[in-house]
Amino acid sequence: MSDTLTLDVIGRRVEVNGEHATVRFAGVVPPVAGPWLGVEWDNPERGKHDGSHEGTVYFKCRHPTGGSFIRPKKVNFGIDFLTAVKNRYVLEDELEEDGKEQIVTIGNKPVETIGFDSIMKQQSQLSKLQEVSLRNCAVSCAGEKGGVAEACPNIRNVDLSKNLLSSWDEVIHIADQLRHLEVLNLSENKLKFPSGSAPLTGTFSALKVLVLNRTGITWAEVLRCAAECPGLEELYLESNEIFISERPTDVLQTIKLLDLSSNQLIDENQLFLIAHLPRLEQLILSDIGISSIHFPDAGIGCKTSMFPSLRYLVVNDNQISQWSFFNELDKLPSLRALSCLRNPLTKDDKDTQTTRQLIIAKIGQLKTLNKCEILPEERWGAELDYRRAFGNEWKKAGGHQDLDKNRLSEEFLMAHPRYQFLCLKYGAPEDGELKRQPLMLKNQLLTLKIKYPHQLDQKVLEKQLPGSMTIQKVKGLLSRLLKVPVSDLLLSYESPEKPGREIELENDLKSLQFYSVENGDCLLVRW
């Protein structure tokens, strides 16, 4: 840009040597002659001051070192959308060859043309585009009115992340020319959003996915923008310091996936404001600092009316340290998948398998935990272990072999709301069972019998193996013992508690604990 300043630069997004900033001031800064731009950097470590110079405040910054004064000629104000598309998607080598002089006949006259085929090929290339990635291409505006619609009318998916767009209005000018637009990523654009209700234009009538990570959007602005997207199904709002201030009414009613990750101001009371979105199936709450949740409308053993369609919940990187959190999740009627990695309760690597078993036992309808499928055999083992592990506590709290005579304390029921159901499913724990240490109170050796169904002449062995031993290592041990190649060995096991039911140990990377192998069980070895 030249050193001549115009009045409309305030608020514009700019790029200087790869760093992004917002123009906050334009004018003279005495005693140095000539025009200056005062900018607030996205990265405050890039700046030198807070917008002041020699005691005079020219503009204000959120950070004491977020500002700088820069000559206009050093600033890049960006390019229009269509230019960026051409820069990235038009094949220049082919166009240069097509740009040679040619003779065509129009009527009866021969006419020299330069670049005629080039223009046709360029138009053909652009009109076929359906997915466009313009990340970090310095896009700042729509450009000439109607130009985008004429050149590339079939675009459905646009990535405009980390560009120089400064307002939601400029986004509308682009999207208004893309009538088939279904996916729009605007992450890392510091946008000025509308401050009041705007008339609905139908610009985003086809939009299904909107990504607004790190844009500085507020919850009120989210709701205003969502009103323009009647068919929106996925909304990503990561790292915006969002505070959910009001319940969505008449907006976000079609949303299926909502990502609120890394918005540290959100607490469980705010989540109740979005708890009645009718179609919400996936909710991502990673790194929001949440430690507890409680559904006050549902008592012990009951289901909540909140989040009626929620099937997948992500709460990674939070502060969950109490088992009551998972007791509450059992109240969600549709929950089938959960990811809860890197929380205080799940961080201890030595107890990873124990933690997994407890979560499975506490949430009855769960099918997938931390992206790993819960097999029927794993659920069976986890629930039996849970029933046995807390059996003595159950008895002390008023548990009875005759379940009709149970008089369990409120404290026990709150800590173990599914225990009564497990007693109905598997029977009340007997005294003999309670003397056996369950796997979830582990780090012990398992005493196992080893049989060979196809080699009846082989003597039945008894071995002590650690519960954490993988199936691969068990096969290695048996291979050395039997002089049989590891690749030929097939393992399964039987439990005296389930006579006649054989469970295959088919995943070599899983442990004996994963398959709920217990003391006294029998390994079956075939080759």
Side-chain angles (χ1 to χ4, degrees):
M1 181 179 180
S2 71
D3 278 343
T4 303
L5 291 177
T6 57
L7 297 175
D8 64 350
V9 297
I10 306 299
R12 291 277 299 275
R13 297 283 293 160
V14 295
E15 182 256 333
V16 183
N17 296 327
E19 296 276 358
H20 287 192
T22 303
V23 178
R24 302 295 186 199
F25 167 82
V28 178
V29 183
V32 183
W36 292 91
L37 293 177
V39 301
E40 182 180 8
W41 300 100
D42 291 2
N43 175 13
E45 296 180 1
R46 174 69 174 79
K48 297 180 179 179
H49 51 71
D50 63 355
S52 302
H53 180 66
E54 294 186 355
T56 301
V57 178
Y58 291 91
F59 63 97
K60 292 183 179 180
C61 295
R62 287 169 293 180
H63 194 278
T65 62
S68 294
F69 290 107
I70 298 176
R71 291 296 191 186
K73 64 182 179 182
K74 293 184 177 181
V75 171
N76 175 16
F77 278 87
I79 59 177
D80 65 78
F81 180 88
L82 187 54
T83 298
V85 171
K86 290 178 179 178
N87 289 347
R88 176 154 290 192
Y89 290 97
V90 173
L91 304 178
E92 298 292 348
D93 291 344
E94 290 185 18
L95 298 185
E96 284 179 10
E97 287 189 20
D98 291 332
K100 295 176 182 177
E101 184 179 288
Q102 300 178 40
I103 304 294
V104 297
T105 301
I106 299 177
N108 295 322
K109 292 184 178 181
V111 178
E112 294 182 1
T113 66
I114 299 177
F116 186 79
D117 285 349
S118 170
I119 294 170
M120 295 295 291
K121 183 166 285 189
Q122 181 186 106
Q123 290 175 342
S124 175
Q125 286 178 9
L126 295 180
S127 66
K128 292 177 182 177
L129 286 176
Q130 292 192 14
E131 294 190 14
V132 171
S133 177
L134 299 177
R135 177 174 171 80
N136 205 14
C137 287
V139 176
S140 61
C141 62
E144 185 180 346
K145 187 175 181 179
V148 175
E150 183 179 349
C152 37
N154 295 309
I155 291 177
R156 284 169 164 74
N157 184 329
V158 177
D159 182 356
L160 277 169
S161 59
K162 204 172 184 181
N163 276 285
L164 300 179
L165 296 165
S166 57
S167 73
W168 182 252
D169 288 341
E170 204 58 57
V171 173
I172 290 177
H173 292 155
I174 296 172
D176 203 34
Q177 303 180 65
L178 301 173
R179 287 300 178 177
H180 303 292
L181 187 62
E182 297 178 356
V183 181
L184 177 59
N185 186 350
L186 296 168
S187 297
E188 299 175 80
N189 286 283
K190 303 295 182 183
L191 296 169
K192 181 180 179 182
F193 291 93
S195 56
S197 299
L200 301 182
T201 61
T203 297
F204 300 101
S205 59
L207 196 68
K208 295 180 180 178
V209 180
L210 179 59
V211 188
L212 294 170
N213 299 333
R214 295 176 291 283
T215 57
I217 194 170
T218 67
W219 184 248
E221 291 165 346
V222 167
L223 299 185
R224 283 195 286 271
C225 292
E228 300 183 50
C229 311
L232 195 63
E233 296 181 358
E234 298 183 16
L235 179 58
Y236 298 83
L237 299 169
E238 180 183 331
S239 301
N240 281 304
E241 298 184 5
I242 280 176
F243 182 96
I244 301 175
S245 53
E246 57 183 299
R247 177 178 293 186
T249 54
D250 303 325
V251 296
L252 299 180
Q253 301 302 298
T254 58
I255 207 76
K256 294 181 180 180
L257 184 154
L258 180 59
D259 184 354
L260 293 168
S261 297
S262 301
N263 287 289
Q264 295 280 336
L265 299 178
I266 293 176
D267 60 25
E268 66 170 303
N269 291 323
Q270 294 174 51
L271 294 179
F272 295 154
L273 293 174
I274 59 171
H276 296 285
L277 293 174
R279 299 185 188 180
L280 184 61
E281 296 179 359
Q282 299 183 54
L283 181 58
I284 305 173
L285 300 174
S286 295
D287 187 34
I288 67 168
I290 195 170
S291 60
S292 64
I293 194 164
H294 175 62
F295 300 110
D297 66 326
I300 295 171
C302 300
K303 299 298 183 185
T304 178
S305 62
M306 300 184 187
F307 298 104
S309 302
L310 188 63
R311 297 182 61 82
Y312 182 33
L313 176 64
V314 180
V315 287
N316 299 332
D317 302 296
N318 278 295
Q319 301 301 318
I320 301 165
S321 59
Q322 301 294 326
W323 287 110
S324 58
F325 187 94
F326 298 97
N327 292 340
E328 289 296 308
L329 295 188
D330 188 53
K331 295 178 180 180
L332 292 168
S334 302
L335 189 66
R336 297 296 180 269
L338 173 67
S339 184
C340 54
L341 300 169
R342 298 177 297 279
N343 279 278
L345 202 61
T346 60
K347 275 182 179 176
D348 192 340
D349 291 340
K350 292 183 291 186
D351 291 329
T352 298
Q353 191 58 37
T354 299
T355 301
R356 180 178 172 85
Q357 283 186 296
L358 283 167
I359 293 172
I360 291 170
K362 283 181 172 291
I363 307 177
Q365 67 273 27
L366 213 57
K367 300 294 184 184
T368 304
L369 178 57
N370 296 330
K371 297 188 177 181
C372 183
E373 183 184 2
I374 300 169
L375 300 173
E377 292 81 6
E378 186 181 12
R379 173 162 293 284
W380 170 69
E383 292 181 340
L384 279 177
D385 269 358
Y386 185 89
R387 169 179 157 276
R388 190 181 306 124
F390 298 99
N392 287 319
E393 196 177 322
W394 168 77
K395 286 186 68 176
K396 291 177 184 176
H400 195 280
Q401 285 296 128
D402 184 348
L403 296 181
D404 292 334
K405 296 180 180 179
N406 272 337
R407 297 294 182 269
L408 289 171
S409 69
E410 186 77 12
E411 184 180 5
F412 181 86
L413 288 172
M414 288 182 66
H416 307 283
R418 288 197 76 229
Y419 199 91
Q420 283 289 84
F421 172 79
L422 296 180
C423 288
L424 290 170
K425 184 176 181 179
Y426 300 106
E430 299 177 0
D431 291 343
E433 283 185 272
L434 301 182
K435 293 176 183 176
R436 296 175 62 192
Q437 188 183 34
L439 277 180
M440 59 178 60
L441 306 176
K442 58 183 186 196
N443 294 330
Q444 83 277 30
L445 292 174
L446 303 176
T447 301
L448 305 174
K449 291 181 180 179
I450 301 177
K451 294 182 180 180
Y452 315 94
H454 293 168
Q455 279 75 29
L456 299 178
D457 55 329
Q458 289 274 8
K459 183 180 177 181
V460 176
L461 294 178
E462 193 171 274
K463 285 279 185 184
Q464 284 193 322
L465 303 176
S468 59
M469 194 173 192
T470 64
I471 306 306
Q472 189 175 45
K473 290 183 178 178
V474 174
K475 285 183 176 180
L477 175 70
L478 292 170
S479 173
R480 293 190 295 274
L481 191 70
L482 300 170
K483 308 295 189 236
V484 175
V486 169
S487 57
D488 291 348
L489 293 176
L490 298 174
L491 301 188
S492 58
Y493 84 96
E494 289 180 333
S495 170
E497 292 185 7
K498 285 272 187 176
R501 182 177 181 180
E502 189 174 329
I503 298 171
E504 291 184 18
L505 306 177
E506 55 189 1
N507 190 332
D508 286 354
L509 300 180
K510 298 296 184 182
S511 66
L512 292 170
Q513 289 159 354
F514 174 84
Y515 287 105
S516 300
V517 179
E518 300 182 353
N519 268 320
D521 287 348
C522 182
L523 282 182
L524 303 175
V525 186
R526 296 179 174 88
W527 64 89

